[in-house]
Amino acid sequence: SQELEQSPQSLIVQEGKNLTINCTSSKTLYGLYWYKQKYGEGLIFLMMLQKGGEEKSHEKITAKLDEKKQQSSLHITASQPSHAGIYLCGSPSIGAGGTSYGKLTFGQGTILTVHP
Amino acid sequence: GAGVSQSPSNKVTEKGKDVELRCDPISGHTALYWYRQSLGQGLEFLIYFQGNSAPDKSGLPSDRFSAERTGGSVSTLTIQRTQQEDSAVYLCASSLEGQETQYFGPGTRLLVL
């Protein structure tokens, strides 16, 4: 079965600093989701990447998908305390017909703390 | 618009009791998922519904766990004879179709004493 490994497991940064979180898959990636979770809350969808080389940005968060390396990275520029939380990457499964369906396998999460 | 809602938000029960967790997906979403999040295991898939049928139940940990979905909308996850290791946050998600982005509810925190 597919496994996703995130690094680092936790990260503490000073407000204003840039940071990167990585998600590496043990198998071929057929898309990659990034979610954010605040303590005690559900997952908030950030971005979905579907094609190798794809890069998406939303506000100060940029995510890239490197299909060859079976890896995705999430980069936050000029971090703010509001960015604090747990970041999770998730990858969809492949059904019998070779198309992806929604069952997601998740990484273990990266805990981000941003000090003001 | 309204997001995914789950109830109850918290549940404390005694070992051996049955519990029911409810999920109301986003209106019009045909796909519905249950996941479990625990400290030791991270976020794990339990079951996937497309409409009222469940083509993938592979994540249900034992036959004490069951789920149903009626009317292509609300879903109920039932845990019979709860054990302490069932303590976790149970998350529900829905999507327009099986391949689409999943939107998660706030979860139900289950504590089995």
Side-chain angles (χ1 to χ4, degrees), chain A residues 28-31 50 67 92-102, chain B residues 98-99:
Chain A
T28 302
L29 283 169
Y30 296 96
Q50 287 185 299
E67 238 174 21
S93 299
I94 298 298
T99 58
S100 66
Y101 74 101
Chain B
Q99 302 100 307

Side-chain angles (χ1 to χ4, degrees), chain A:
Chain A
S1 60
Q2 182 177 38
E3 290 186 359
L4 295 177
E5 185 169 335
Q6 289 184 233
S7 62
Q9 291 186 3
S10 63
L11 192 53
I12 302 173
V13 300
Q14 205 67 32
E15 182 177 2
K17 294 294 185 184
N18 302 336
L19 63 104
T20 299
I21 298 169
N22 292 305
C23 175
T24 303
S25 174
S26 60
K27 296 186 176 182
T28 302
L29 283 169
Y30 296 96
L32 198 287
Y33 291 81
W34 283 100
Y35 287 88
K36 178 186 173 185
Q37 185 177 31
K38 292 251 182 186
Y39 178 75
E41 298 179 12
L43 277 64
I44 299 168
F45 169 72
L46 296 176
M47 267 171 271
M48 177 181 66
L49 304 165
Q50 287 185 299
K51 301 174 185 176
E54 187 172 15
E55 179 176 324
K56 287 187 177 178
S57 293
H58 177 67
E59 297 180 342
K60 294 185 179 180
I61 301 176
T62 300
K64 301 178 185 179
L65 179 62
D66 186 331
E67 238 174 21
K68 289 182 181 177
K69 290 185 180 178
Q70 298 178 176
Q71 185 178 70
S72 177
S73 61
L74 184 84
H75 184 77
I76 299 177
T77 304
S79 58
Q80 300 170 352
S82 60
H83 287 129
I86 302 171
Y87 288 82
L88 292 145
C89 63
S91 181
S93 299
I94 298 298
T99 58
S100 66
Y101 74 101
K103 169 187 172 181
L104 295 177
T105 297
F106 285 92
Q108 79 278 24
T110 294
I111 303 171
L112 173 62
T113 304
V114 181
H115 286 311

Side-chain angles (χ1 to χ4, degrees), chain B residues 36 78 97:
Chain B
R36 179 170 73 172
T78 301
E97 296 290 341

